Amino acid sequence: MRIAGGSVGDIPGMELEILAEAPLVAGALGPEVLYATAVRRLGPELYLLIGRGSLRESRLERRVGRVVWMLDPGTRVGAWTGTVELGVALVTDETSRLTGTIGAAVVDTTQVPGIGLLTESTLLSAARPVEPGTYSPGPTTFGSTCVTDRLDNWGSPTDPEGPCGSHRPLLGSTGSLCVKGGEGQGVLVVSGDLTITEGAWFEGILLVGGDLRLEAGSTLVGLCRVAGEVEMVGGAAIDDSRHKALRALEASGLDTLALPVPGGSWISLF
């Protein structure tokens, strides 16, 4: 039982690549003990990891399973209840526009709203860290190559055919951010407040634990989920785009994280 369970392991945040219902890992612990791990899809976003332990010279074998949840980008974007989901209120002036709808209220306003079983801590752990502060992101290239390791390179949504047109990073900040001009795309997770100003352009998904303020002609194309207030002033815009949100979520790598389902996920298999 211990060997079989160990082949599945403690897996919060474990990365998996689901290729087929076939063994993922197999090997031996010394000359006598064999182990293997396989995966089986149970349904939308649910998988069964199967661990098997056996003795080489014996027919004795034990199998255990662990049910895990893995994000499906299409399912999650389709379940978004509105262009803007927020915990407090939407404040806007007559020069700004929301092209889309206001969705269900965010219930827990004390932290970054999650996606499925992906909580604030899991999202920030998976994201590339961005220090709190002010940024003016833009694409950085070397010849015809996108320099993706630059912290201020968030892709080039206004030049989708350029070298950084497909660069959609997953970014996370444990404090507040100000995006002052520039452009970016992907999934941006911010624990504090997020201000987008001076004509900045962002495509994808925003997850904000504080307030979101768009001003001075800035634009979000995609979806957002905000624990606090959303304020749009000075010709700001939020335009609904499930397509942009889906592409950002697909590129984030969040669909490779396997999380144990709540309430106990171990199953004995015989």
Side-chain angles (χ1 to χ4, degrees), residues 3-261:
I3 298 300
S7 68
V8 175
D10 295 325
I11 54 171
M14 171 183 176
E15 290 195 5
L16 278 181
E17 184 176 4
I18 304 299
L19 298 177
E21 293 186 8
L24 294 175
V25 179
L29 297 175
E32 302 296 331
V33 179
L34 304 176
Y35 68 88
T37 304
V39 63
R40 179 180 303 162
R41 186 175 186 271
L42 300 178
E45 300 187 312
L46 287 178
Y47 295 85
L48 176 64
L49 298 182
I50 303 170
R52 186 186 69 201
S54 63
L55 299 177
R56 191 183 299 274
E57 301 299 329
S58 171
R59 299 181 63 182
L60 180 65
E61 178 180 291
R62 184 61 186 250
R63 295 194 305 157
V64 297
R66 197 168 199 187
V67 180
V68 298
W69 178 92
M70 297 181 70
L71 175 143
D72 176 73
T75 298
R76 286 296 136 188
V77 170
W80 220 279
T81 60
T83 313
V84 177
E85 295 181 359
L86 50 94
V88 181
L90 174 66
V91 178
T92 184
D93 65 11
E94 61 184 13
T95 69
S96 301
R97 74 170 189 273
L98 168 62
T99 305
T101 60
I102 299 176
V106 173
V107 176
D108 186 353
T109 61
T110 65
Q111 62 179 339
V112 173
I115 303 178
L117 295 186
L118 297 172
T119 62
E120 175 179 356
S121 60
T122 305
L123 289 165
L124 289 174
S125 296
R128 183 178 181 183
V130 178
E131 292 296 323
T134 299
Y135 294 84
S136 299
T140 303
T141 60
F142 182 76
S144 60
T145 302
C146 183
V147 183
T148 58
D149 59 354
R150 284 282 301 241
L151 189 59
D152 58 354
N153 182 359
W154 299 3
S156 61
T158 63
D159 183 18
E161 301 302 321
C164 295
S166 61
H167 180 46
R168 298 178 177 86
L170 168 62
L171 303 166
S173 176
T174 57
S176 296
L177 285 184
C178 176
V179 181
K180 190 175 181 180
E183 62 176 309
Q185 60 187 357
V187 178
L188 179 58
V189 184
V190 179
S191 291
D193 299 330
L194 173 61
T195 300
I196 304 178
T197 187
E198 294 196 11
W201 185 281
F202 189 87
E203 294 184 358
I205 292 176
L206 300 179
L207 301 172
V208 183
D211 296 331
L212 171 63
R213 178 181 173 90
L214 288 93
E215 59 185 29
S218 298
T219 300
L220 164 66
V221 182
L223 301 172
C224 65
R225 189 169 281 162
V226 181
E229 180 179 273
V230 175
E231 184 177 7
M232 302 168 58
V233 296
I238 297 179
D239 295 329
D240 185 289
S241 177
R242 304 294 169 122
H243 174 67
K244 301 292 186 182
L246 177 61
R247 297 191 72 180
L249 204 51
E250 289 175 336
S252 69
L254 292 171
D255 57 350
T256 66
L257 299 180
L259 302 175
V261 298

